[in-house]
């Protein structure tokens, strides 16, 4: 067996002390956010009523290659970082492939995913600005869990609007948030204007992420000392998630390993963007080349079947317009158990990198994803999140290609989280009653036709 | 801040290559198992029809101080070990204590607990003996999950009898086991004689651990190529769990830290026994002294309120007799959410160490345990299992005593697992509807009066 250990751990003093901002190295910058009313590009100040000031600045920062990570955040990172880069020896053996497979595992914290990397940063800046608390929405609950852990740490109030159907069907996620002191409100609620309005119009509605966003934004802007925070899609989130890629690259460098293929699942794009940032940076600076693959669900294929246009970031159409690969803000993804990948659009940064052909994309079917998840779980011992399993599926496919060609490629993928709260989906798969939903061309064309006609 | 990192990680080549058998250093050996029919001491061969041969030998081994860990098991350990020894800086700050608090965290694997340390060993010996599979029972599901991961790894069949009420109320644990390929049968079932008999006598029964054990033993002995395996209480299990203590001691030694107080929760006693073995070994050899505390629930206080007598290991009274601190094999612990601590007896090894005053014991109330769990979760970021939280509660108490006396003691405790599948209990605590059940003296006297009159 090779000298490379099963788990490459960096030491705590190798935790990054600055986030890498890939936008600084991009020749074609991501298109600016636009005011949905005027169509004018937004400035950082325009975001201050909604986001913390420092985070608003990070959102607009296309220039600084590195942004220092405050010491308090690094200290928190020490509780669960550096995360291990794992050599998947058992999976390689199972596949009988000459490829070397590595995964960066972000699931070893109670939030169960990479979301905590940005949650703690956003909570820190809220605390630093002297705020009382933050509001957010959560669907499946991973982001809400991560945020409640971060706000508990800094003693901030945390108000989470949880899509009603998830609130009722995922009581365990809700209880984790409550244990961390968050207030969790099923959305639509009767505590906001928009919630009351939706409840009146659609009595007994199950709620939607778009509605929960609208409630969280209203709650933030109508309470003194509160701001709204968001766990994906934004440039600031992708920036914070660069710790994933920086640690992965440092671990590879430590053993002289040159990645050939880098794979990540893509919903809003922040974990993928964070993982690939330092590697794409090398490509942008002409220092190295990689085959980078974004994996999305066939049920919500924004990169592979969407259009690169300006669109609303939210279903409620209250947030700024972003230029991105999108299926249209009123695209309703069919039931898909990878809740974290059910977003109609894609990070502006990832969209631009894709448009510039620095990365490629593929989509995979749900049942194939769960088959890969089960295979992985049985040999590598980790029960993966459905989202993360999209990357597993493609990593296995790439490793099997190597088996055909005899190439000993180094394949690196992001294992963003664990599936402990996704067992209803695993049960469906185990019972053989899981379906593959794929939208028709007509479905996509229809929702795309309602994008604003800008740019 | 000290030079001691948040997490002390050993390297993979520091994973123990031999288990430490504390029995070899004990002057007063644990009393032998007795044949329940004849009252005669059992020999290893007597156990072969039920347990694997190698495991039967380990069960009886009072002589060998070290037992080599086969390379295949060490390789599996590399997937999730060494587990970190964590310095609880944030908890210390929260408590404002001069004490230094460390915890050995065994929850970073999909089984969510230390159970995997023995499951993989038991699966290995079953495979080595050429068996087709193993049977077991599970209550809350942690042991069944660990075993299904281990059998999946070695390609063995795994038949789990799960207490019916848990099977129905904990579907997620069940699905993890199924994902790992185990067959999970609600107990009492109609597939064993004992199951059919109990179903006839008590139609609609919820099942019990005692009944599930009886079914698993029958299934093992009635199928060619199967043996029964058990996740706690046994000497072999405590032996395998010594990896916890060996790693903890190595990590402390690496930084020149001398533990003063060592704390573990105690149900069957195997995690506690594994954690303390190397330290107790030093005490037995006169090399060092420690204050070792076993923490049990007030609802099931075998050490603090039981008797040290021969008793049945199972409610069904089919297993051998063991001399141990017990509340009587038909003691029914009142509802308690730390399912792993609801055992009427205690490991014979731990019992003897307690009787010899090498360790002390204390019991804690459930609501106090959850208050400690919540405090810990909010500052240390890990949602602990209710079982593990018994140790947290007492670690906090000891640290607060240090605050009074000004002593900078080194307190080490075992954090055996995570609470991701225990959120019904957390919900009860969050909703303020959790009760503290404490058995009366009469309850205990009554069940103790039914112990066999031996020794």
């Amino acid at each position: 067996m090779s000298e490379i250990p099963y788990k490459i751990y960096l030491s705590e003093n190798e935790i990054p002390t600055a986030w890498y901002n890939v936008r600084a190295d991009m020749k074609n910058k991501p298109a600016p956010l636009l005011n949905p009313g005027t169509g004018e590009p937004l400035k950082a100040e325009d975001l201050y009523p909604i986001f913390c000031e420092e985070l608003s600045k990070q959102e607009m920062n296309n220039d600084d290659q590195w942004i220092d990570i405050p010491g308090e955040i690094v200290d928190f990172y020490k509780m669960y970082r550096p995360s291990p880069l794992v050599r998947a020896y058992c999976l390689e053996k199972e596949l009988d492939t000459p490829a070397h497979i590595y995964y960066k595992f972000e699931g070893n914290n109670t939030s169960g995913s990479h979301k905590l990397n940005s949650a703690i940063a956003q909570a820190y800046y809220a605390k630093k600005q002297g705020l009382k608390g933050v509001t957010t929405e959560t669907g499946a609950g991973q982001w809400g869990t991560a945020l409640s852990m971060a706000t508990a740490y800094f003693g901030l109030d945390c108000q989470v609007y949880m899509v009603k159907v998830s609130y009722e069907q995922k009581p365990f996620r809700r209880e984790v948030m409550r244990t961390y002191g968050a207030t969790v409100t099923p959305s639509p609620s009767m505590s906001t204007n928009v919630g009351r309005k939706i409840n009146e119009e659609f009595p007994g509605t199950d709620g939607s992420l778009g509605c929960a966003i609208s409630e969280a934004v209203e709650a933030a802007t109508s309470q003194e000392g509160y701001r709204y925070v968001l766990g994906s899609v934004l440039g600031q989130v992708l920036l914070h998630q660069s710790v994933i890629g920086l640690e992965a690259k440092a671990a590879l460098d430590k053993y002289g390993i040159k990645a050939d293929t880098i794979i990540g699942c893509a919903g809003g794009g922040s974990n993928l963007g964070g993982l690939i940032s330092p590697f794409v940076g090398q490509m942008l600076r002409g220092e190295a080349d990689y085959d980078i693959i974004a994996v999305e669900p066939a049920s919500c294929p924004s990169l592979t079947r969407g259009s690169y246009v300006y669109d609303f970031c939210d279903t409620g159409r209250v947030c700024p317009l972003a230029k991105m690969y999108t299926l249209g803000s009123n695209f309703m993804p069919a039931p898909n158990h990878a809740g974290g990948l059910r977003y109609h659009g894609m990070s502006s940064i990832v969209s631009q990198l894709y448009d510039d052909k620095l990365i490629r994309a593929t989509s995979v079917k749900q049942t194939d994803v769960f088959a890969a998840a089960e295979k992985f779980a049985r040999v590598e011992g980790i029960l993966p999140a459905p989202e993360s399993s999209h990357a597993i599926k493609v990593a296995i496919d790439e490793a099997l290609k190597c088996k055909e060609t005899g190439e000993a490629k180094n394949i690196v993928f992001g294992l963003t989280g664990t599936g402990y709260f996704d067992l209803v989906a695993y049960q469906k798969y185990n019972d053989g009653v899981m379906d593959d939903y794929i939208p028709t061309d007509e479905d996509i064309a229809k929702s795309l036709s309602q994008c604003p006609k800008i740019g």
Side-chain angles (χ1 to χ4, degrees), chain A:
Chain A
M1 203 156 270
S2 158
E3 285 174 28
I4 297 166
Y6 278 65
K7 302 179 296 300
I8 304 177
Y9 272 111
L10 303 174
S11 67
E12 275 167 23
N13 56 27
E14 292 171 291
I15 290 174
T17 54
W19 292 301
Y20 169 64
N21 183 11
V22 69
R23 290 168 288 182
D25 282 321
M26 289 170 71
K27 283 168 202 89
N28 300 320
K29 305 293 182 193
L33 295 172
L34 302 183
N35 179 313
T38 65
E40 291 298 308
L42 290 174
K43 294 188 294 289
E45 307 87 273
D46 298 328
L47 297 174
Y48 290 177
I50 300 175
F51 295 136
C52 297
E53 293 185 11
E54 197 65 33
L55 293 166
S56 299
K57 287 175 192 163
Q58 291 180 2
E59 194 59 38
M60 298 301 182
N61 191 331
N62 284 343
D63 305 315
D64 296 322
Q65 199 178 26
W66 296 94
I67 294 174
D68 284 345
I69 307 177
E72 291 91 333
I73 298 175
V74 175
D75 278 347
F76 186 89
Y77 280 165
K78 286 178 184 170
M79 290 206 292
Y80 70 103
R81 308 201 68 82
S83 69
L85 182 74
V86 185
R87 173 75 183 270
Y89 281 118
C90 297
L91 181 61
E92 291 172 17
K93 193 177 160 197
E94 171 76 14
L95 300 174
D96 188 25
T97 174
H100 293 191
I101 307 173
Y102 299 86
Y103 55 92
K104 180 70 170 167
F105 181 43
E106 292 288 318
N108 268 352
N109 69 75
T110 283
S111 83
S113 80
H114 65 290
K115 296 278 183 189
L116 196 52
N117 300 330
S118 184
I120 193 62
Q122 297 193 47
Y124 167 80
Y125 290 115
K127 181 75 175 178
K128 197 180 163 205
Q129 194 172 321
L131 299 178
K132 290 180 198 162
V134 293
T135 72
T136 199
E137 80 290 336
T138 200
Q142 281 171 312
W143 167 246
T145 307
L147 188 66
S148 65
M149 289 177 66
T151 50
Y153 184 77
F154 283 123
L156 286 166
D157 186 35
C158 182
Q159 301 176 356
V160 180
Y161 289 85
M162 187 170 188
V163 177
K164 192 181 275 177
V165 62
S166 295
Y167 181 91
E168 286 162 1
Q169 293 184 354
K170 297 208 166 188
F172 291 174
R173 280 275 187 209
R174 182 185 77 208
E175 289 309 319
V176 179
M177 290 183 253
R178 288 181 71 203
T179 299
Y180 282 95
T183 308
V184 187
T185 305
S187 168
S189 74
M190 295 303 280
S191 62
T192 65
N193 291 326
V194 64
R196 284 186 290 270
K197 193 176 155 208
I198 292 171
N199 271 317
E200 270 171 35
E201 280 181 36
F202 307 98
T205 174
D206 276 345
S208 70
L209 206 53
C211 169
I213 292 177
S214 305
E215 287 206 85
V217 170
E218 181 184 325
T221 51
S222 62
Q223 292 176 92
E224 182 72 30
Y226 281 77
R227 291 296 183 281
Y228 168 71
V229 296
L230 180 64
S232 187
V233 185
L234 298 174
Q236 59 187 271
V237 180
L238 197 145
L239 174 73
H240 305 149
Q241 297 297 357
S242 69
V243 293
I244 304 173
L246 292 166
E247 285 184 7
K249 188 164 183 311
L252 292 167
D253 289 349
K254 182 167 272 191
Y255 285 86
I257 304 157
K258 163 68 173 64
D260 296 296
T261 308
I262 303 170
I263 301 164
C265 63
S270 61
N271 100 73
L272 173 78
L275 172 64
I276 67 175
S277 274
F279 302 97
V280 169
Q282 289 183 295
M283 292 169 78
L284 289 163
R285 297 188 303 271
E287 299 166 2
D289 204 19
Y290 302 98
D291 180 21
I292 297 178
I293 310 174
V295 188
E296 51 186 18
S299 61
C300 194
S302 51
L303 287 172
T304 50
R305 296 177 65 195
S307 292
Y308 191 33
V309 296
Y310 266 103
D311 195 7
F312 289 95
C313 293
D314 62 320
T315 321
R317 298 184 162 219
V318 297
C319 294
L321 297 171
K323 189 176 177 190
M324 56 184 177
Y325 277 86
T326 179
L327 297 162
S329 66
N330 60 346
F331 176 79
M332 284 303 286
N336 179 306
H337 296 292
L341 303 182
R342 292 178 68 190
Y343 183 65
H344 67 275
M346 181 59 63
S347 144
S348 289
I349 298 171
V350 171
S351 292
Q352 186 62 45
L353 294 172
Y354 179 66
D355 204 57
D356 287 341
K357 302 198 180 347
L358 286 149
I359 66 178
R360 61 188 176 103
T362 187
S363 73
V364 289
K365 286 192 296 183
Q366 184 165 237
T367 50
D368 293 339
V369 165
F370 274 83
E374 185 178 278
K375 184 188 290 278
F376 180 85
R378 291 190 183 183
V379 294
E380 288 288 322
I382 295 170
L383 187 78
E387 291 86 350
S388 322
S389 303
H390 287 68
I392 294 174
K393 162 66 180 153
V394 173
I396 290 175
D397 288 348
E398 292 293 313
L400 291 175
K401 282 183 203 163
C402 288
K403 188 176 175 179
E404 284 176 22
T405 62
E407 288 173 287
K409 281 187 181 175
N410 291 314
I411 298 170
V412 178
F413 72 90
L415 189 71
T416 53
T418 50
Y420 307 143
F421 293 91
D422 301 289
L423 284 156
V424 170
Y426 273 96
Q427 180 172 3
K428 282 193 181 169
Y429 179 73
N430 291 334
D431 289 341
V433 296
M434 178 173 277
D435 288 316
D436 287 311
Y437 299 92
I438 300 175
T440 64
D441 289 342
E442 291 69 31
D443 291 338
I444 295 174
K446 188 178 167 196
S447 59
L448 275 174
S449 70
Q450 295 172 40
C451 288
K453 308 292 177 253
I454 297 175

